[in-house]
Amino acid sequence: REKLGGMALSTAAMKLIRAYFTNLAKHELATAESNLKNFETDAIGGFRPGTKLLSKQKEALAWLESRDNSGVIALDTGVGKTLTTVASIQKMRRDGVPGRYLYVCPASLRGNLAKEAYRFLEDPKTFIEQVDVMSYRQFTDEFNKDPDFTKEYAAVFFDEAQELKNPTSGQSRAALRMKHPRKILLTASPMERSPMEVFTLAAISSNTDLNTPEGRVGMRSFRKRFAEEVGGRIVGIKDDPTTIKDMRVWVRQRLYFADKRDVEEFVLPKLTKATETITMDPEVEAKYREEAAGVANVLRGLTLKYRDRVVSPE
C-alpha cells in the first residue's frame, strides 16, 4: 500500500488477509508468558517432582499446540529436543488424543527417548509402551510396504529431522508422501546451506509432497522468491530487506526456533574472537586446501555479482 500510494481490495481478498494475520497472532499469543503456565510439568502431569522445562521448551510446546501439534521445532543443541518430545506426547496423552505414537530417529539414537522417559517421568514404562521407535531406514521400508501404516498413530515425531532435508532421498520421499494431521519435526539445524532445506522440512510437516508436479511448482516458486544463486548454486537468502522480512514471517508460521544464547536459564559467556594455529597432517592439509579453494571460487563469484551493488549503511 505504501509503494502504490493506495489500495482497493475485494471482500474475499480482505477475508484472506484477515485470516492470515489472525493466524499469525494466534501463534504469537500462544507463546505469551501468561499462557506458558499451562505447559509447566505440574500442569501437564506425570513428571517426577522437581522436573522443570526451560522457557524455550514451554514456548515450543505452546507453539505446537497452536498449530494442532504439527510443525518444525528447531531447538539449538543443548536446549532439549528429546525432553520436549516427551512433554509433547505426555500432554497429548493427558488431553485424550487417541492412539499410539511413532518416534523416528537415526538408528544410533533409538534409545534416547526411553532414557529421557526413565529420567523424568513417574511412570516411564507405561509411556514407553505407547510409543513405537523406528530408525529412518525402518520407517522408509515400512512405509514402502504399507503407505497407510501411520494412520494408527496419534502423532509422528521425526527427530534429527535434518536427515530429511534432501526431498529426493528415499526417506524424505516417504515422509513427504505420508499424510498425517500431526507430523512434528525436531532438529538443531533446520537450514545449514540453503533456504530450500527449511522449505522441505515445512513441506513434510504440512503434508505437501514436493515430488508431485504441484509440489515442484511450489518449490521453484519459493526458490525464485527467496534463494540467492551464484552460477546455479544457492548461496543463501536474497539480500533484499523486503524479501528477508517476508522470509522471516514465512519461517515463523512454520517453524519454532530457539537459540541456546536466548535461553534465560543458561548463563553463557560472550563470544570472543581468537586466532589459533593448527598443525595438520599432510593428507588433512591437502583436503583443507582443496575445500578452501572451492570456497574461494564461490566468494569470487559473489564479488563479481555484487561489487557494483550500492549497499545501505544500515
Side-chain angles (χ1 to χ4, degrees):
R1 185 172 62 186
E2 291 172 356
K3 296 288 186 183
L4 296 174
M7 182 180 290
L9 292 174
S10 67
T11 301
M14 182 58 71
K15 286 182 178 179
L16 283 173
I17 290 176
R18 283 176 177 164
Y20 172 78
F21 283 103
T22 297
N23 196 41
L24 283 180
K26 176 183 175 183
H27 303 324
E28 291 293 325
L29 293 172
T31 57
E33 183 65 33
S34 58
N35 186 47
L36 296 186
K37 64 180 182 294
N38 299 314
F39 299 90
E40 301 278 359
T41 53
D42 291 342
I44 295 173
F47 285 88
R48 293 181 184 275
T51 301
K52 301 290 184 183
L53 294 177
L54 300 173
S55 57
K56 294 301 181 183
Q57 290 174 315
K58 290 183 285 187
E59 285 184 10
L61 292 172
W63 182 87
L64 263 182
E65 189 169 79
S66 75
R67 289 181 47 84
D68 299 322
N69 291 301
S70 68
V72 182
I73 297 296
L75 301 182
D76 202 356
T77 302
V79 178
K81 298 189 300 299
T82 308
L83 178 55
T84 302
T85 301
V86 171
S88 178
I89 293 174
Q90 190 70 359
K91 189 172 190 305
M92 280 190 268
R93 289 176 62 210
R94 187 208 69 181
D95 293 344
V97 178
R100 297 172 58 77
Y101 298 85
L102 177 61
Y103 178 76
V104 185
C105 64
S108 60
L109 302 179
R110 290 185 58 183
N112 280 10
L113 190 69
K115 180 180 176 182
E116 294 290 273
Y118 273 99
R119 181 181 177 186
F120 294 110
L121 296 180
E122 291 183 322
D123 184 10
K125 186 176 180 181
T126 300
F127 175 91
I128 293 168
E129 287 174 349
Q130 291 188 294
V131 181
D132 291 333
V133 179
M134 292 184 180
S135 69
Y136 276 102
R137 174 170 290 187
Q138 288 175 313
F139 164 78
T140 305
D141 291 343
E142 195 67 30
F143 181 86
N144 289 335
K145 286 189 293 185
D146 178 15
D148 294 328
F149 91 96
T150 58
K151 288 185 177 180
E152 67 176 277
Y153 293 104
V156 180
F157 292 81
F158 292 98
D159 197 9
E160 300 297 333
Q162 65 270 13
E163 300 275 339
L164 302 173
K165 285 179 180 178
N166 179 3
T168 62
S169 70
Q171 56 199 28
S172 293
R173 283 178 178 273
L176 285 162
R177 286 173 54 208
M178 186 191 83
K179 304 301 179 186
H180 198 286
R182 301 184 189 93
K183 295 163 79 173
I184 300 168
L185 287 76
L186 300 108
T187 179
S189 51
M191 189 174 75
E192 295 178 330
R193 295 185 178 88
S194 161
M196 302 310 297
E197 296 172 347
V198 72
F199 179 78
T200 301
L201 299 186
I204 292 171
S205 70
S206 62
N207 294 314
T208 302
D209 189 352
L210 300 181
N211 293 301
T212 63
E214 296 81 5
R216 285 189 283 270
V217 168
M219 190 158 47
R220 286 195 296 268
S221 176
F222 181 90
R223 179 170 178 163
K224 181 178 180 181
R225 181 182 179 190
F226 292 115
E228 188 70 86
E229 298 185 51
V230 174
R233 177 183 295 181
I234 297 175
V235 295
I237 301 169
K238 287 185 177 179
D239 184 20
D240 171 72
T242 302
T243 302
I244 293 172
K245 183 178 179 181
D246 288 348
M247 180 68 182
R248 286 175 179 167
V249 172
W250 186 94
V251 168
R252 288 178 70 178
Q253 283 184 286
R254 297 160 177 84
L255 179 145
Y256 175 84
F257 175 73
D259 191 308
K260 186 187 301 182
R261 291 169 295 181
D262 296 330
V263 177
E264 298 173 1
E265 294 84 352
F266 291 173
V267 180
L268 300 175
K270 292 183 178 180
L271 297 176
T272 58
K273 184 184 291 187
T275 301
E276 297 287 344
T277 302
I278 300 174
T279 302
M280 300 180 184
D281 292 334
E283 291 182 3
V284 176
E285 181 180 356
K287 185 63 177 176
Y288 178 85
R289 290 185 180 279
E290 179 185 336
E291 295 296 327
V295 173
N297 286 334
V298 173
L299 293 176
R300 191 175 297 109
L302 287 169
T303 302
L304 292 173
K305 182 169 184 177
Y306 294 113
R307 64 183 177 184
D308 296 325
R309 177 179 286 188
V310 177
V311 180
S312 168
E314 298 178 357

